[in-house]
């Protein structure tokens, strides 16, 4: 009996010794493990998807093959080829189902479909045509029409998805009339989507950004105000700022270069607004004949009221969704804030940060659609049944966009499991001189976000690494803030121009532009702006130069670059 108790004690002792190891093993990052295991092979899925997208001009097939290639890497080891292929196919299906099961993704899919139905109905009621005719009075030339598009992108600052879908669709008739290529329209829309939402102090992005900043600073033992840090990073978000100035400068000079100029030449000289087939929401002239037959004239109210409802209800949904989440949470300080000052700037900021943005946008899109259906019926433009059918038709036209989004999310999932981003960080982040750290962080963010098509994922990977690394090299808060901004703006680069990015896909769709043409034409502009960001932005501030000197110099460099490289389309 004594021996038995002795062995029980010994076994229990060894179990206790092994517990930390067991726990650590359970917490092993699968992505990190696979990055060490597969190394350079982790780059195969994004490279395959990106190269095939350019070569085949078929986004869905390219994304699907990219997902399959990643799944094969994960399933073939330990199996024969046949079982590996079968398991890979099952893995792809599971990833697609899982992506749809995610409440955020499901909300985005529903929002895309609801906005598609809304815009199709608004267009067929003649609202888009009426707005186009009204704006065309102010958009008297190519400059003013593009500047109005740019301003519209700034107005819808609170969400990049809503921006990409609304602005392109509403401005397309005007830019078509001015013989501006769909590629140029898609670029302006895309460049005012994520870059604007990423620096807006009230947006669907800020919750993610503030959370990452707060967590990263806590790891270095600094109790920093996350929102204060966020605001201080804004002047250093060189890519966000410069891509917005790029639009204005190129429009005012009427100069383009690279593939974009070729597209503009075709639009101006040959009347070819867009090459290839785009993902179109609806024809801007649809519904006008129906109005003529009934003796009705297009009215701006049929567009302004539903779109106004969309924007106002979206903002209200952000607030009340966040309010509900905060009141039901554990933060007593935030709860007291909402009770004492429910409509203060800080309260609004916090509620927006805590909101379920995808659900809020779906709610607003659905309600706006209901308003449009009621207007179509009461104005006797359509019967109730016809209005429902037209709304459903808009949903059907966006099914292909939903398929692309599901494939993009699935590819992102397999890339994350393979540890692609972690391998890139390991590969590129050794032996960095302190003054080059912001530049290296920006490059890492740009490469990872372009390869993965996700800014959120890139921020989540880099922020916990960048801030401690910056803190270990230089204790000055200004240096840490610059490094923080490099993470945020580097992540925007890929979100803006990667062919597998959500907003790039939605911008192509909103502008009615062939997706691959959009990527090919805007990529030189994005790369040019990224070069200016590094040479005239992060390297000088890394060396200690004041932002009040660096930012104006970088804008001047941008102007000179466009002046030298660009040519007018006569």
């Amino acid at each position: 009996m004594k021996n038995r108790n002795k062995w029980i004690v010994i076994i229990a002792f060894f179990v206790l010794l092994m517990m930390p190891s067991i726990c650590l093993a359970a917490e092993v990052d699968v992505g990190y493990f696979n990055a060490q295991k597969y190394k350079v092979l982790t780059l195969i899925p994004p490279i395959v998807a990106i190269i095939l997208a350019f070569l085949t001009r078929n986004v869905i097939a390219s994304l699907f093959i990219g997902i399959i290639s990643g799944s094969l890497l994960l399933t073939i080891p330990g199996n024969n080829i046949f079982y590996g292929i079968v398991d890979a196919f099952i893995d792809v299906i599971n990833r697609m189902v899982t992506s749809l099961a995610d409440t955020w993704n499901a909300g985005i899919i529903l929002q895309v479909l609801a906005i598609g139905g809304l815009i199709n109905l608004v267009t067929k009621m003649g609202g888009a045509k009426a707005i186009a005719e009204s704006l065309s009075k102010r958009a008297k030339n190519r400059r003013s029409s593009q500047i109005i598009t740019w301003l519209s992108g700034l107005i819808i600052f609170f969400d990049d998805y809503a921006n990409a879908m609304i602005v392109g669709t509403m401005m397309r008739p005007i830019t078509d009339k001015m013989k501006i290529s769909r590629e140029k329209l898609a670029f302006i829309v895309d460049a005012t989507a994520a870059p604007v939402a990423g620096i807006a102090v009230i947006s669907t992005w800020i919750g993610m950004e503030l959370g990452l900043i707060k967590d990263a600073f806590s790891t270095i033992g600094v109790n920093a105000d996350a929102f204060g840090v966020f605001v201080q990073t804004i002047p250093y978000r060189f890519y966000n700022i410069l891509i917005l100035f790029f639009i204005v400068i190129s429009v005012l000079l009427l100069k383009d270069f690279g593939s974009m100029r070729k597209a503009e030449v075709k639009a101006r000289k040959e009347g070819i607004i867009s090459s290839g087939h785009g993902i179109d929401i609806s024809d801007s002239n649809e519904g006008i004949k129906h109005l003529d037959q009934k003796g009705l004239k297009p009215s701006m109210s049929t567009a302004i009221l539903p779109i106004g409802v969309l924007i106002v209800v979206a903002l209200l949904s952000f607030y009340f969704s966040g309010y509900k989440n905060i009141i039901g949470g554990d933060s007593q300080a935030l709860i007291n804030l909402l009770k004492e000052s429910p409509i203060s700037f800080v309260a609004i900021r916090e509620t927006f940060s805590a909101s379920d943005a995808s659900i809020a946008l779906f709610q607003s899109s659905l309600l706006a659609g209901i308003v449009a259906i009621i207007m179509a019926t009461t104005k006797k433009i359509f019967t109730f049944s016809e209005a429902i059918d037209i709304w459903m038709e808009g949903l059907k036209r966006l099914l292909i966009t939903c398929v692309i989004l599901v494939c993009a999310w699935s590819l992102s999932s397999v890339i994350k499991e393979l540890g692609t981003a972690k391998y890139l960080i390991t590969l590129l982040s050794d032996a960095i001189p302190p003054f080059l750290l912001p530049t290296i962080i920006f490059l890492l963010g740009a490469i990872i976000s372009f390869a993965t098509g996700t800014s959120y994922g890139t921020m989540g990977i880099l922020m916990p690494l960048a801030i401690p690394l910056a803190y270990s090299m230089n204790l000055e808060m200004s240096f840490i803030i610059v490094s923080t901004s490099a993470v945020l703006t580097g992540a925007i680069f890929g979100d803006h121009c990667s062919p597998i990015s959500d907003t790039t896909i939605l911008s192509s769709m909103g502008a009615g532009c062939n997706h691959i043409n959009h990527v090919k034409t805007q990529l030189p502009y994005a790369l040019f702006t990224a070069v200016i960001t590094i040479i005239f932005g992060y390297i000088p501030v890394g060396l200690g130069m004041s932002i009040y000197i660096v930012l104006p110099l970088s804008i001047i460099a941008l102007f000179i670059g466009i002046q030298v490289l660009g040519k007018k389309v006569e």
Side-chain angles (χ1 to χ4, degrees), residues 198-262:
I199 58 175
V201 294
I202 296 178
S203 74
T204 55
W205 284 58
I206 195 169
M208 172 77 169
E209 293 169 314
L210 294 183
L212 291 173
I213 290 171
K214 183 177 181 180
D215 289 345
F217 270 90
S218 66
T219 61
I220 60 175
V222 176
N223 186 21
D225 174 18
F227 184 74
V229 172
F230 173 86
V231 172
Q232 291 179 71
T233 65
I234 293 176
Y236 299 97
R237 309 275 198 93
F238 294 113
Y239 184 81
N240 300 56
I241 296 169
L242 293 179
I243 199 67
L244 295 175
F245 273 98
F246 183 101
I247 297 170
V248 175
I249 294 169
S250 64
V251 167
L252 294 178
L253 295 177
L254 286 179
K255 286 190 172 184
D256 291 288
F257 58 85
S259 301
M260 187 68 78
R261 186 172 185 277
K262 294 178 182 177

Side-chain angles (χ1 to χ4, degrees), residues 271-292:
I272 302 174
I273 303 300
S274 181
S275 302
H277 298 288
I279 306 170
D280 204 345
I281 294 181
S282 58
D283 185 347
S284 60
N285 291 318
E286 288 185 17
I288 304 303
K289 292 181 180 179
H290 182 83
L291 291 173
D292 291 340

Side-chain angles (χ1 to χ4, degrees), residues 67-68 70-73 75-76 83-93 95:
I67 303 165
I68 283 285
S71 294
L72 284 171
L73 282 173
T75 57
I76 281 184
Y83 285 116
I85 293 173
V86 171
D87 286 346
F89 181 77
I90 294 172
D91 180 64
V92 171
I93 300 304
R95 290 180 190 280

Side-chain angles (χ1 to χ4, degrees), residues 6 19 27 86 106 175 179 185 219 259 366 369 458 535 550 556:
K6 177 182 174 182
M19 280 297 290
E27 295 175 2
V86 171
T175 55
K179 292 186 177 181
L185 173 62
T219 61
S259 301
L366 185 60
T458 303
I535 296 175
V550 171
I556 293 170

Side-chain angles (χ1 to χ4, degrees), residues 178-195:
M178 295 296 171
K179 292 186 177 181
I180 297 168
S181 66
R182 295 277 179 86
E183 288 84 354
K184 188 65 178 291
L185 173 62
F187 165 66
I188 297 174
V189 170
D190 207 353
T192 55

Side-chain angles (χ1 to χ4, degrees), residues 318-328 338-339 342 351 354-355:
F318 290 149
Y319 179 85
F320 286 109
S321 171
Y323 185 94
K324 182 178 179 181
N325 290 336
I326 290 173
I327 293 297
L338 293 187
K339 288 181 178 179
T351 54
S355 68

Side-chain angles (χ1 to χ4, degrees), residues 19 25 100 104 148 169 188 190 195 198 200 207 245 252 259 318 339 344 383 446-447 476 481 499 501 528 557:
M19 280 297 290
L100 281 174
W104 169 268
I148 288 172
T169 307
I188 297 174
D190 207 353
F245 273 98
L252 294 178
S259 301
F318 290 149
K339 288 181 178 179
S344 66
T383 65
I447 292 169
E476 293 183 10
I481 287 171
S501 164
F528 171 76

